Amino acid sequence: IEVKKEITKMTVVITKMLTSFYKTFNNKTNIKKALNKAKKLETKSDQMQEQISIYLAECTKHELSLGSSKEASAMIRITNELESIGDSSLNLFIQIERLNNELHFDDSMNKEITEFYNLVMKFIEWNNLFIIDNLKAMSIEDLEKSAKYEQEIDDMRNQLMDSSRKRLSKGSNSKSELLFMDIIKHLEHVGDFSLNISQALEQIH
C-alpha cells in the first residue's frame, strides 16, 4: 500500500511539471524561474523512482506469489515511465527557454502547440484516474482507449509536422520551426510513455 501511495505522489509531481510547462509557455514570462523549479521537481521524481524501484526489487527477491511478482514488475515499469515523462517535461522547459525576441512563435504555432498539449494531457489524466485510485487495474477496453489516445497523438504530430514544413516553404523562421518541432517531439514522447503506463496498469490485478 505504501508503495502505491509513493507512485501516486510521483504522478502528482510529474503532472505538476507538465501543467507548469504549459503555463510558462503560455505566459512566456519567468521562464528561467520556472525552469529551475522544474529541475527541482525532476530531481525529486528521480529520487522517488530510485526509492520505489529499490523497494520493489527487494520485494521481488522474497517469495512472492506469481500475481504479486507480476504486480511488482508492473509497478517498476510505471515508475520508470513516469520518470521518463519527467525527463521529457524538463526537456520542454529547456526548449522554451530558447524563446526570445528572434525566436518566437506566431499565433498559429501557439495554437497548434496548445491543441497538441491538451490532447496529451487528456491521456495523462486518463492514466491518472487509475493510478490515483490506488493503482486500479485497467481492463482490455480501457487499454484500447489508451491505444486510441496514443494513435490520435501520433496522427496530430504528423499533421503538425506537415504544417510546420508548409510554413517553412513559405519562408517562416527556420530556427523557430525547429524549436516548434522539438516541442512537438517531446510532447509526443509523453504520449508514448503514457501508453507504456497503460500497458503496465493492465498487468495489475
Side-chain angles (χ1 to χ4, degrees):
I1 291 300
E2 266 316 295
V3 79
K4 288 184 175 181
K5 271 189 191 157
E6 283 306 300
I7 293 175
T8 298
K9 278 186 201 162
M10 194 175 168
T11 306
V12 172
V13 169
I14 300 298
T15 311
K16 198 171 162 184
M17 275 178 88
L18 281 165
T19 350
S20 164
F21 153 72
Y22 182 68
K23 211 168 136 189
T24 312
F25 168 75
N26 214 14
N27 302 337
K28 313 276 194 297
T29 51
N30 296 335
I31 296 181
K32 198 90 181 147
K33 195 175 157 192
L35 173 65
N36 289 332
K37 208 170 163 184
K39 280 179 181 165
K40 285 193 182 107
L41 287 175
E42 206 270 328
T43 305
K44 191 178 173 183
S45 87
D46 283 351
Q47 290 162 346
M48 288 171 110
Q49 181 220 11
E50 202 179 327
Q51 287 158 354
I52 295 167
S53 300
I54 290 169
Y55 173 78
L56 286 168
E58 274 305 307
C59 291
T60 52
K61 278 181 196 164
H62 305 294
E63 291 298 310
L64 285 179
S65 68
L66 186 65
S68 316
S69 65
K70 201 174 167 188
E71 189 156 287
S73 35
M75 286 196 267
I76 290 175
R77 188 174 178 198
I78 291 169
T79 311
N80 291 341
E81 299 299 339
L82 283 170
E83 197 269 329
S84 298
I85 293 178
D87 290 344
S88 289
S89 305
L90 185 59
N91 275 319
L92 285 164
F93 277 97
I94 293 166
Q95 299 306 322
I96 59 170
E97 200 200 1
R98 292 159 53 199
L99 286 170
N100 54 33
N101 299 334
E102 297 102 74
L103 266 192
H104 66 275
F105 290 164
D106 65 21
D107 289 347
S108 68
M109 291 160 94
N110 284 328
K111 188 170 168 279
E112 286 176 346
I113 286 176
T114 298
E115 282 171 5
F116 197 48
Y117 168 83
N118 287 339
L119 178 60
V120 170
M121 283 313 281
K122 266 188 191 163
F123 195 0
I124 290 278
E125 279 151 19
W126 166 245
N127 271 342
N128 287 0
L129 289 177
F130 294 86
I131 298 175
I132 290 164
D133 191 4
N134 208 15
L135 254 64
K136 195 174 87 160
M138 264 197 184
S139 67
I140 289 289
E141 291 74 32
D142 295 329
L143 187 55
E144 279 168 8
K145 185 171 174 179
S146 296
K148 237 183 220 152
Y149 271 128
E150 208 263 337
Q151 189 55 57
E152 278 178 41
I153 290 169
D154 284 353
D155 292 345
M156 194 168 188
R157 179 220 33 212
N158 296 340
Q159 284 166 14
L160 297 183
M161 291 299 188
D162 267 355
S163 70
S164 182
R165 281 190 284 269
K166 277 176 191 149
R167 282 193 300 267
L168 272 171
S169 66
K170 287 176 187 162
S172 73
N173 181 310
S174 57
K175 280 186 177 171
S176 295
E177 292 296 347
L178 281 172
L179 181 56
F180 173 86
M181 287 181 184
D182 278 342
I183 291 175
I184 297 302
K185 182 185 75 183
H186 289 300
L187 282 170
E188 193 262 329
H189 287 167
V190 172
D192 292 340
F193 302 134
S194 297
L195 183 61
N196 295 341
I197 290 174
S198 297
Q199 287 166 349
L201 283 165
E202 199 264 324
Q203 294 294 309
I204 285 174
H205 295 292

